[in-house]
Amino acid sequence: MKFKLKPSPPKKLRKTTLKRFLIRRAIFYVLPNVFFNFIIAYASFQELGYTHFFSGTQNLARLTLPMAIFLPVILTIDIINRVVIASEQGAIEFTVDEQLNKKKLMAKLSILHGLITGLLVLSVLLFAQYGFSKYYKLDATAMAVLVGLLAGVLSVIFVYVPIWRLKRWMYKPGMGKY
């Protein structure tokens, strides 16, 4: 006997504009990402009292590189999915073209965003490491704040960039393409 679990239907959303929808989602993403990334980095760095870019057990790259790769991937998939669901429910004023392969777009954009952001953060870390002395010790609290701010900036960027790419396939009903 096979048990099949039916996925629950998405929660009915209130009618709003795309701009307000994205601002609200950005706030929902920024606050927890800044808080949790700061707390995790602060707790990790306080064991030694200082940190380095790449050397040692508690280094800056160990926390920032995975965050810089996976945060854009997760946010890209989530925001595209939420906007598509909102447009299907008629909660926003735009409709997504039915010919769009949503899963392919989410996969392509999320991988691209993760790679680009990861390489950009890696290059900044490498550039900063070569700019400072080999024996320079980074302040743990300042680096934890920097990691939290980076998480907040990435959260805002990757709420809007995927929608900017999705707008090619969005249109207002009765008015044509966006």
Side-chain angles (χ1 to χ4, degrees):
M1 179 174 187
K2 292 184 180 180
F3 293 104
K4 290 189 177 183
L5 297 175
K6 293 182 183 178
S8 62
K11 185 176 143 186
K12 186 72 175 158
L13 301 171
R14 291 190 326 231
K15 187 95 170 143
T16 185
T17 64
L18 180 62
K19 182 178 178 179
R20 286 186 183 185
F21 182 81
L22 293 177
I23 290 172
R24 185 175 174 168
R25 293 310 317 163
I27 291 169
F28 286 152
Y29 293 142
V30 168
L31 296 177
N33 278 322
V34 169
F35 178 73
F36 288 119
N37 281 299
F38 169 75
I39 294 297
I40 291 168
Y42 187 75
S44 295
F45 295 153
Q46 287 304 317
E47 290 178 13
L48 296 176
Y50 62 88
T51 186
H52 294 286
F53 286 108
F54 292 97
S55 63
T57 57
Q58 301 297 330
N59 57 54
L60 188 60
R62 191 177 132 228
L63 292 173
T64 56
L65 287 176
M67 179 194 62
I69 293 169
F70 293 117
L71 191 64
V73 169
I74 292 167
L75 291 178
T76 299
I77 290 171
D78 190 51
I79 196 67
I80 289 176
N81 194 30
R82 288 183 187 270
V83 168
V84 168
I85 289 171
S87 90
E88 288 172 352
Q89 289 183 1
I92 58 174
E93 71 270 22
F94 293 102
T95 303
V96 177
D97 191 0
E98 294 171 4
Q99 295 176 352
L100 171 66
N101 187 345
K102 297 164 195 81
K103 293 186 189 258
K104 183 178 177 183
L105 176 71
M106 285 190 291
K108 185 177 91 173
L109 284 180
S110 64
I111 291 169
L112 182 69
H113 291 163
L115 284 175
I116 290 173
T117 309
L119 289 173
L120 184 65
V121 169
L122 177 65
S123 63
V124 168
L125 287 173
L126 287 172
F127 182 74
Q129 181 182 13
Y130 291 117
F132 289 113
S133 167
K134 179 181 176 181
Y135 303 105
Y136 186 77
K137 297 175 184 176
L138 301 171
D139 181 43
T141 305
M143 292 302 106
V145 169
L146 184 69
V147 169
L149 288 175
L150 178 63
V153 168
L154 290 177
S155 297
V156 170
I157 289 172
F158 289 104
V159 165
Y160 291 101
V161 169
I163 301 309
W164 176 62
R165 298 293 301 245
L166 183 66
K167 281 187 178 178
R168 288 186 198 161
W169 293 281
M170 294 175 79
Y171 60 92
K172 285 188 178 181
M175 296 188 71
K177 292 276 185 188
Y178 179 70

